[in-house]
Amino acid sequence: MEKLKKKLGFWQAYATATGLVVSGSTMVTLASSMGLVGPAFIVSAFIAMIISIIIALSYAELASIIPGSGMVGDYTSVAMGKFMSIIAVLGGYFVLSVMVGAAETMTAGFAAQSLFPNINVTVVSLLLLTIFLVINVLGVEIFGSIQVVLTLGLMITLSVMGLFGLFDVFTATAQLPVDFTLNGWGTVFQSIALGIWLFIGIEFVAPMVEEVKNPSKNIPRAMIFGLLSIFVADMLFGLAIIRYIDPSILVGSSIPQIDGAGAMLGEKGATWMMIVTLFAAASSINSMFAAVPRMFYGMARDGLLPKQFSYLHPRFRTPMVSIIAVFLLFALPLFLLKMTPEMFNILILSACITWIISYMIAQLDVIILRKRYANIERPFKSPFYPYTQIIGILACVYLIITIHPETAVKMQIYGLAGSFFIGICIYAFLWLKFKKQPLFQPVALSEKRIMMDLEEDKEDYIPTRKAE
C-alpha cells in the first residue's frame, strides 16, 4: 500500500488543530467562567494561551521526529517505556472519552432543548452518538470535506456576535455595569485551568504530520495561529455577553452561552447561538470519534490494549470495536450522572487534570529525547529548549494545584481524576506484567521507526480524517 500523500495545506492543518478545540463544552466553559471571574477572565485565558503555545511547540518537535498516528503514545514509548506510554494515552484520551464525550453530547442536548423545551436531552444525546457511531464505522467522511468552512464559520460567528455586543449593534437591551474582577484577583489566577479548557486538544493535528505539506512549518503555525484566533474569538464573545446578563445566571446555567447571547441579541441571538453550539458539539464529537478509536487501535496493535481493539471491519476497514468502545464510553455517564452545571464543570476539570498530566509527559519526552538522541535530525525544534519545557511542566503543576477556586469542588475533581488515574496505573502494570513486557524500558527510536514504516506499508485501514 502506498504511504499517505502530503496533500493537506496550512488551512486544512489549521482546521484539524482547531476542530476539536472549538466545541460546545468550551462555549459553556467560556460563558460560565466569565460569570465566575468577570471580564478579568481575559487574563486567565491569556496566560492559558501562552502555556498552550509552549505545549504545542513540544508536540510539533515530537511529531517531526516520530511522525505517526500514535502521537504521545509513540513519543513516550521511545522516551520512557510502555508503562508511561499507556499512562500518557489513556490518561489523556480514555478519560476524555468518558467525561468530555458525555459533557459534549449533553451540551448539544441542552442546546436543542432550549429551542424545543419538551425534548428529552438524553434521547437527543444518544441519537447524536448513534449517528456518529454509524458514520465512523462506515468510514463516511461527512464533516471532513467542509471542516475548514465549518471551523472558520464558528470562529467568525463568535467574533461577529462579540463585536455586535461590544459596540451595541443589533442588541436587545442596554449594557449593564460590571466589575472587572467579580471575586478578586485570587479567583483570576485560580481560573487559569478553566482558561486551558478553551485551548486543550490543539495537539490533535500532530498525528497528521505525514499528510501535511511542509509539516515542520505548517503544523506549528497551524497550532499557534489556532490558539491565537481561538483566544480572540472567545474573548470577543465572552467580554460582550458579560455586559448584558447577571453573572450569577451564567454560573448557574447549563446553557450559559445561549442565555448570554439571548440577553445580548434577543431571541434571534439565542437561536443563532443554539445552532452554533449544535454545530460545534457535532464537529467535536465527530473529531473524537475519528481520533480516539485510532489511538486505541494503535495501542492494541502495539500490544498495549487487548487485541480485539485492533479488529477492522472486513468491508469498511474501520476499527469497529474501538469505535463501539468509544460510543459506550460516551454513553455510559449519560445514565450514571445527572448533568447539572456543577457536574459539567467537575467532569470537564477532572478530564483537564489527566490531560494536563499527559501534557507534562510530552514535555518530559522532549527533554529525554534531546539528551538521548542529541544528533538526530529534527525538522522542527522547540525554541529556547529546555526553558520552554521546564516552564510548561511547572505551569501544568500550577494548573493542577489551582484547578478550581472552591476547595469543596476541587476535592471532588481530585477524587474523580485520581480514581481514573489510579485505575489506569493499575491496568498498565497488570497488563504489561501479563504480557511479560518491560515497564520502563524505552523502545529504540530506530525500532519504532521501522515498526511504523512496516505498519504503514501493511495497513489497509486509513482512519477517518477530519480535514481530508
Side-chain angles (χ1 to χ4, degrees), residues 18-19 37 40-41 91 106 200 202 272 289 292 318 397 432 464:
T18 57
V37 181
F41 183 64
M106 292 296 280
I200 206 164
I202 199 75
W272 189 6
F289 259 116
V292 177
T318 52
V397 172
L432 291 174
T464 300

PDB file of all heavy atoms in Angstrom, residues 18-19 37 40-41 91 106 200 202 272 289 292 318 397 432 464:
ATOM      1  N   THR A  18      -7.933  23.144  15.245  1.00  0.00           N
ATOM      2  CA  THR A  18      -8.976  23.870  15.975  1.00  0.00           C
ATOM      3  C   THR A  18     -10.318  23.147  16.003  1.00  0.00           C
ATOM      4  O   THR A  18     -11.198  23.505  16.784  1.00  0.00           O
ATOM      5  CB  THR A  18      -9.195  25.264  15.363  1.00  0.00           C
ATOM      6  OG1 THR A  18      -9.518  25.121  13.972  1.00  0.00           O
ATOM      7  CG2 THR A  18      -7.954  26.114  15.501  1.00  0.00           C
ATOM      8  N   GLY A  19     -10.485  22.104  15.149  1.00  0.00           N
ATOM      9  CA  GLY A  19     -11.777  21.443  15.025  1.00  0.00           C
ATOM     10  C   GLY A  19     -12.275  20.821  16.310  1.00  0.00           C
ATOM     11  O   GLY A  19     -13.472  20.852  16.603  1.00  0.00           O
ATOM     12  N   VAL A  37     -15.609  34.790  37.047  1.00  0.00           N
ATOM     13  CA  VAL A  37     -14.428  35.645  37.209  1.00  0.00           C
ATOM     14  C   VAL A  37     -14.727  37.096  36.828  1.00  0.00           C
ATOM     15  O   VAL A  37     -14.189  38.022  37.431  1.00  0.00           O
ATOM     16  CB  VAL A  37     -13.256  35.096  36.370  1.00  0.00           C
ATOM     17  CG1 VAL A  37     -12.015  35.967  36.547  1.00  0.00           C
ATOM     18  CG2 VAL A  37     -12.958  33.648  36.747  1.00  0.00           C
ATOM     19  N   ALA A  40     -12.197  40.007  33.833  1.00  0.00           N
ATOM     20  CA  ALA A  40     -10.792  39.675  34.110  1.00  0.00           C
ATOM     21  C   ALA A  40     -10.438  38.253  33.689  1.00  0.00           C
ATOM     22  O   ALA A  40      -9.261  37.890  33.691  1.00  0.00           O
ATOM     23  CB  ALA A  40     -10.498  39.854  35.605  1.00  0.00           C
ATOM     24  N   PHE A  41     -11.440  37.465  33.299  1.00  0.00           N
ATOM     25  CA  PHE A  41     -11.127  36.123  32.790  1.00  0.00           C
ATOM     26  C   PHE A  41     -10.253  36.197  31.546  1.00  0.00           C
ATOM     27  O   PHE A  41      -9.577  35.230  31.200  1.00  0.00           O
ATOM     28  CB  PHE A  41     -12.416  35.361  32.482  1.00  0.00           C
ATOM     29  CG  PHE A  41     -12.185  33.943  32.030  1.00  0.00           C
ATOM     30  CD1 PHE A  41     -11.601  33.012  32.876  1.00  0.00           C
ATOM     31  CD2 PHE A  41     -12.557  33.544  30.747  1.00  0.00           C
ATOM     32  CE1 PHE A  41     -11.376  31.707  32.457  1.00  0.00           C
ATOM     33  CE2 PHE A  41     -12.341  32.249  30.324  1.00  0.00           C
ATOM     34  CZ  PHE A  41     -11.747  31.311  31.181  1.00  0.00           C
ATOM     35  N   GLY A  91      -4.571   8.333  30.030  1.00  0.00           N
ATOM     36  CA  GLY A  91      -4.818   9.484  30.890  1.00  0.00           C
ATOM     37  C   GLY A  91      -5.361  10.662  30.108  1.00  0.00           C
ATOM     38  O   GLY A  91      -6.251  11.385  30.577  1.00  0.00           O
ATOM     39  N   MET A 106     -24.205  16.116  25.979  1.00  0.00           N
ATOM     40  CA  MET A 106     -25.225  16.773  26.787  1.00  0.00           C
ATOM     41  C   MET A 106     -25.330  18.259  26.436  1.00  0.00           C
ATOM     42  O   MET A 106     -26.422  18.837  26.474  1.00  0.00           O
ATOM     43  CB  MET A 106     -24.918  16.594  28.272  1.00  0.00           C
ATOM     44  CG  MET A 106     -25.064  15.166  28.774  1.00  0.00           C
ATOM     45  SD  MET A 106     -26.753  14.545  28.667  1.00  0.00           S
ATOM     46  CE  MET A 106     -27.474  15.283  30.124  1.00  0.00           C
ATOM     47  N   ILE A 200      -7.463  23.294  24.990  1.00  0.00           N
ATOM     48  CA  ILE A 200      -6.959  21.940  25.111  1.00  0.00           C
ATOM     49  C   ILE A 200      -7.402  21.088  23.922  1.00  0.00           C
ATOM     50  O   ILE A 200      -8.524  21.205  23.445  1.00  0.00           O
ATOM     51  CB  ILE A 200      -7.422  21.331  26.462  1.00  0.00           C
ATOM     52  CG1 ILE A 200      -6.464  20.238  26.932  1.00  0.00           C
ATOM     53  CG2 ILE A 200      -8.852  20.824  26.386  1.00  0.00           C
ATOM     54  CD1 ILE A 200      -6.634  19.888  28.399  1.00  0.00           C
ATOM     55  N   ILE A 202      -5.433  21.118  21.032  1.00  0.00           N
ATOM     56  CA  ILE A 202      -4.829  21.707  19.834  1.00  0.00           C
ATOM     57  C   ILE A 202      -3.811  20.757  19.205  1.00  0.00           C
ATOM     58  O   ILE A 202      -3.521  20.831  18.000  1.00  0.00           O
ATOM     59  CB  ILE A 202      -4.173  23.069  20.186  1.00  0.00           C
ATOM     60  CG1 ILE A 202      -3.962  23.925  18.919  1.00  0.00           C
ATOM     61  CG2 ILE A 202      -2.857  22.881  20.919  1.00  0.00           C
ATOM     62  CD1 ILE A 202      -5.199  24.547  18.386  1.00  0.00           C
ATOM     63  N   TRP A 272     -29.514  31.690  17.193  1.00  0.00           N
ATOM     64  CA  TRP A 272     -28.242  31.679  16.465  1.00  0.00           C
ATOM     65  C   TRP A 272     -27.194  30.908  17.260  1.00  0.00           C
ATOM     66  O   TRP A 272     -26.514  30.038  16.725  1.00  0.00           O
ATOM     67  CB  TRP A 272     -27.822  33.126  16.230  1.00  0.00           C
ATOM     68  CG  TRP A 272     -26.642  33.316  15.313  1.00  0.00           C
ATOM     69  CD1 TRP A 272     -25.985  32.374  14.589  1.00  0.00           C
ATOM     70  CD2 TRP A 272     -25.986  34.558  15.032  1.00  0.00           C
ATOM     71  NE1 TRP A 272     -24.957  32.938  13.873  1.00  0.00           N
ATOM     72  CE2 TRP A 272     -24.934  34.272  14.123  1.00  0.00           C
ATOM     73  CE3 TRP A 272     -26.191  35.870  15.459  1.00  0.00           C
ATOM     74  CZ2 TRP A 272     -24.088  35.263  13.648  1.00  0.00           C
ATOM     75  CZ3 TRP A 272     -25.344  36.856  14.972  1.00  0.00           C
ATOM     76  CH2 TRP A 272     -24.304  36.556  14.072  1.00  0.00           C
ATOM     77  N   PHE A 289     -14.619  10.827  17.690  1.00  0.00           N
ATOM     78  CA  PHE A 289     -14.919   9.504  17.137  1.00  0.00           C
ATOM     79  C   PHE A 289     -13.888   9.089  16.098  1.00  0.00           C
ATOM     80  O   PHE A 289     -13.619   7.905  15.911  1.00  0.00           O
ATOM     81  CB  PHE A 289     -16.312   9.492  16.506  1.00  0.00           C
ATOM     82  CG  PHE A 289     -17.372   8.871  17.367  1.00  0.00           C
ATOM     83  CD1 PHE A 289     -18.429   9.616  17.839  1.00  0.00           C
ATOM     84  CD2 PHE A 289     -17.312   7.524  17.695  1.00  0.00           C
ATOM     85  CE1 PHE A 289     -19.415   9.052  18.636  1.00  0.00           C
ATOM     86  CE2 PHE A 289     -18.291   6.938  18.487  1.00  0.00           C
ATOM     87  CZ  PHE A 289     -19.345   7.699  18.958  1.00  0.00           C
ATOM     88  N   VAL A 292      -9.905   9.200  18.654  1.00  0.00           N
ATOM     89  CA  VAL A 292      -9.677   8.345  19.824  1.00  0.00           C
ATOM     90  C   VAL A 292      -9.684   6.862  19.469  1.00  0.00           C
ATOM     91  O   VAL A 292      -8.816   6.110  19.933  1.00  0.00           O
ATOM     92  CB  VAL A 292     -10.693   8.665  20.943  1.00  0.00           C
ATOM     93  CG1 VAL A 292     -10.504   7.722  22.127  1.00  0.00           C
ATOM     94  CG2 VAL A 292     -10.543  10.113  21.394  1.00  0.00           C
ATOM     95  N   THR A 318     -12.563  -0.194   9.003  1.00  0.00           N
ATOM     96  CA  THR A 318     -12.529   0.760  10.102  1.00  0.00           C
ATOM     97  C   THR A 318     -12.440  -0.015  11.413  1.00  0.00           C
ATOM     98  O   THR A 318     -12.904  -1.156  11.509  1.00  0.00           O
ATOM     99  CB  THR A 318     -13.806   1.630  10.115  1.00  0.00           C
ATOM    100  OG1 THR A 318     -14.961   0.777  10.075  1.00  0.00           O
ATOM    101  CG2 THR A 318     -13.834   2.561   8.919  1.00  0.00           C
ATOM    102  N   VAL A 397       1.833  21.866  36.667  1.00  0.00           N
ATOM    103  CA  VAL A 397       1.712  21.574  38.101  1.00  0.00           C
ATOM    104  C   VAL A 397       0.849  22.640  38.771  1.00  0.00           C
ATOM    105  O   VAL A 397      -0.042  22.329  39.585  1.00  0.00           O
ATOM    106  CB  VAL A 397       3.107  21.508  38.765  1.00  0.00           C
ATOM    107  CG1 VAL A 397       2.972  21.409  40.282  1.00  0.00           C
ATOM    108  CG2 VAL A 397       3.894  20.311  38.225  1.00  0.00           C
ATOM    109  N   LEU A 432       1.006  -5.131  31.383  1.00  0.00           N
ATOM    110  CA  LEU A 432       2.378  -5.357  30.926  1.00  0.00           C
ATOM    111  C   LEU A 432       3.003  -6.563  31.609  1.00  0.00           C
ATOM    112  O   LEU A 432       3.787  -7.305  30.990  1.00  0.00           O
ATOM    113  CB  LEU A 432       3.219  -4.097  31.157  1.00  0.00           C
ATOM    114  CG  LEU A 432       2.852  -2.897  30.277  1.00  0.00           C
ATOM    115  CD1 LEU A 432       3.627  -1.664  30.684  1.00  0.00           C
ATOM    116  CD2 LEU A 432       3.088  -3.206  28.797  1.00  0.00           C
ATOM    117  N   THR A 464     -10.544   7.708   9.446  1.00  0.00           N
ATOM    118  CA  THR A 464     -11.257   8.911   9.049  1.00  0.00           C
ATOM    119  C   THR A 464     -10.475  10.143   9.458  1.00  0.00           C
ATOM    120  O   THR A 464     -10.013  10.264  10.571  1.00  0.00           O
ATOM    121  CB  THR A 464     -12.634   8.955   9.746  1.00  0.00           C
ATOM    122  OG1 THR A 464     -13.361   7.794   9.351  1.00  0.00           O
ATOM    123  CG2 THR A 464     -13.401  10.195   9.336  1.00  0.00           C
TER     124      THR A 464
END
